[in-house]
């Protein structure tokens, strides 16, 4: 028996069966991620239009990007979506989680209601809100007209700055439920004896929140902040269905800009913009990861 086990172990060590088992996943990863990624990097330095052969043009695509006013507008919008979306979805998510953890009656139904938008497609969510806010046949306009109060209607989607805010709010409305669940799981994992000891020492509710609950939510905060940065800065579906980048191109994100350039025969330029978007997202994600990691170690 001992000799048979020894042979089996030696066989596995000699042929590396655990490496062999990993081989299909590695092949799939390289085929569908690494190879297209490397091809995209090379494509960014060409003038490829998607059909003809690629001609190497160096940094011309990147230089043109910084002279393209439409691209700069898309960068500004992307940063706005990233900052406002990440901030609001996490602040509101924490507040909702605290409410769900408060022990109030009916929190189960309320939790379902708040999480429900998360399971709806972003494209459908955008169309729903467009149907509500539209200046042509929207629900709000029709309701105000029936009440004789049409003068109170405001075309939120027709004003660039207001349309950007609407996109952010729709993004928050859809994604806050998922963040709430993660924060709620973190709150419910806190040892009740720790909270009770703090109460016996005279800590009130704000002190419990600031000195105990929030520091112990660092792990949940790290997950939600990083995923929120990536999600809000690469927002696409909601914009397409809600404003389609309009009015004009004033609400267009870099993701939508890349899509439009690639379908307009500017595959090389769109690949260069995709690389720039990757860098724009990577910087705040790396900073947030380092900051959250430092907070986690300190706590």
């Amino acid at each position: 028996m001992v000799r048979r086990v020894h042979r089996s172990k030696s066989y596995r060590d000699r042929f590396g069966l655990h490496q062999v088992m990993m081989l299909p996943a590695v092949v799939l990863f390289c085929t569908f991620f690494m190879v297209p990624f490397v091809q995209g990097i090379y494509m960014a330095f060409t003038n490829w239009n998607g059909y003809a052969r690629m001609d190497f043009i160096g940094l011309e695509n990147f230089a043109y990007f910084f002279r393209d006013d439409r691209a700069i507008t898309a960068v500004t919008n992307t940063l706005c979506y990233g900052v406002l979306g990440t901030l609001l979805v996490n602040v509101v998510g924490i507040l909702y989680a605290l409410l769900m953890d408060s022990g109030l009656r009916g929190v189960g139904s309320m939790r379902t209601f708040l999480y429900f938008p998360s399971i709806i497609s972003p494209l459908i969510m955008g169309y729903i809100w467009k149907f509500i806010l539209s200046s042509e046949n929207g629900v709000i306009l029709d309701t105000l007209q029936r009440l004789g109060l049409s003068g109170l209607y405001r075309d939120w989607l027709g004003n660039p700055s207001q349309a950007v805010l609407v996109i952010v709010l729709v993004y928050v409305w859809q994604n806050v439920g998922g963040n709430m669940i993660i924060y709620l799981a973190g709150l419910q994992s806190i040892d009740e004896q720790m909270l009770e000891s703090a109460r016996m020492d005279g800590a009130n509710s704000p002190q419990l929140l600031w000195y105990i609950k929030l520091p112990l939510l660092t792990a949940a905060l790290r997950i939600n902040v990083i995923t929120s940065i990536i999600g809000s800065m690469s927002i696409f579906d909601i914009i397409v269905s809600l404003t389609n980048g309009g009015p004009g191109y004033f609400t267009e994100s870099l993701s939508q800009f890349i899509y439009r350039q690639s379908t307009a025969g500017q595959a090389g330029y769109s690949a260069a913009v995709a690389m720039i978007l990757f860098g724009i997202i990577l910087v705040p994600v790396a900073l947030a990861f380092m900051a959250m990691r430092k907070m986690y170690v300190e706590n």
Side-chain angles (χ1 to χ4, degrees):
M1 178 66 71
V2 175
R3 183 178 301 174
R4 186 175 300 174
V5 173
H6 175 73
R7 286 181 179 177
S8 178
K9 182 177 180 181
S10 176
Y11 179 81
R12 287 196 298 266
D13 291 342
R14 186 174 18 172
F15 290 94
L17 290 183
H18 56 288
Q19 284 92 349
V20 175
M21 296 297 292
M22 291 175 57
L23 187 59
V26 173
V27 171
L28 290 174
F29 178 77
C30 292
T31 302
F32 295 103
F33 180 80
M34 291 305 301
V35 172
F37 183 74
V38 173
Q39 289 178 338
I41 293 176
Y42 175 74
M43 191 189 306
F45 297 94
T46 69
N47 62 352
W48 191 44
N49 62 4
Y51 305 99
R53 72 172 190 176
M54 300 182 186
D55 293 324
F56 187 81
I57 59 174
L59 298 175
E60 288 186 19
N61 286 328
F62 298 92
Y64 178 74
F65 174 83
F66 293 100
R67 300 193 305 266
D68 190 345
D69 293 337
R70 179 178 165 187
I72 300 303
T73 300
V75 171
T76 304
N77 291 337
T78 299
L79 294 175
C80 183
Y81 297 142
V83 173
L84 292 179
T86 301
L87 179 64
L88 289 177
V89 80
N90 284 283
V91 170
V92 177
I94 291 176
L95 293 177
Y96 280 164
L98 291 172
L99 179 62
M100 297 300 104
D101 193 50
S102 62
L104 296 175
R105 294 182 59 184
V107 292
S109 301
M110 191 181 304
R111 186 188 312 167
T112 302
F113 172 78
L114 294 175
Y115 183 75
F116 181 74
S118 299
I119 65 176
I120 300 177
S121 165
L123 194 68
I124 296 176
M125 181 63 71
Y127 281 123
I128 290 174
W129 280 99
K130 184 177 182 179
F131 176 71
I132 295 173
L133 299 172
S134 175
S135 60
E136 299 178 0
N137 54 358
V139 174
I140 294 179
L141 176 60
D142 183 67
T143 302
L144 291 176
Q145 287 177 341
R146 292 175 183 273
L147 296 175
L149 302 173
S150 57
L152 298 177
Y153 175 76
R154 296 293 180 270
D155 186 10
W156 287 77
L157 301 180
N159 183 287
S161 58
Q162 293 177 354
V164 168
L165 180 60
V166 169
I167 292 171
V168 171
L169 293 178
V170 172
Y171 168 81
V172 173
W173 167 257
Q174 182 175 33
N175 293 277
V176 71
N179 286 30
M180 174 195 68
I181 294 299
I182 295 176
Y183 285 128
L184 181 59
L187 287 173
Q188 293 180 344
S189 67
I190 298 176
D191 190 355
E192 186 63 30
Q193 293 182 354
M194 182 187 302
L195 299 176
E196 188 62 30
S197 299
R199 294 189 187 97
M200 293 177 63
D201 289 337
N204 52 31
S205 296
Q207 290 173 332
L208 289 175
L209 173 63
W210 186 255
Y211 293 107
I212 297 181
K213 292 183 179 181
L214 290 182
L216 293 177
L217 286 177
T218 305
L221 184 65
R222 179 170 58 182
I223 295 172
N224 281 337
V225 167
I226 291 176
T227 55
S228 298
I229 292 174
I230 297 173
S232 59
M233 295 188 72
S234 59
I235 187 172
F236 177 81
D237 311 61
I238 294 176
I239 299 175
V240 170
S241 56
L242 192 60
T243 66
N244 199 25
Y249 300 108
F250 288 105
T251 61
E252 191 176 52
S253 67
L254 270 180
S255 297
Q256 190 179 21
F257 179 78
I258 292 169
Y259 169 77
R260 284 178 166 169
Q261 293 302 312
S262 64
T263 56
Q266 300 290 332
Y269 181 51
S270 66
V273 179
M275 288 184 60
I276 294 173
L277 176 60
F278 177 77
I280 291 175
I281 295 177
L282 182 63
V283 171
V285 167
L287 293 176
F289 183 82
M290 290 187 292
M292 295 295 112
R293 185 177 183 181
K294 183 179 179 181
M295 290 174 57
Y296 184 79
V297 171
E298 290 178 351
N299 292 325

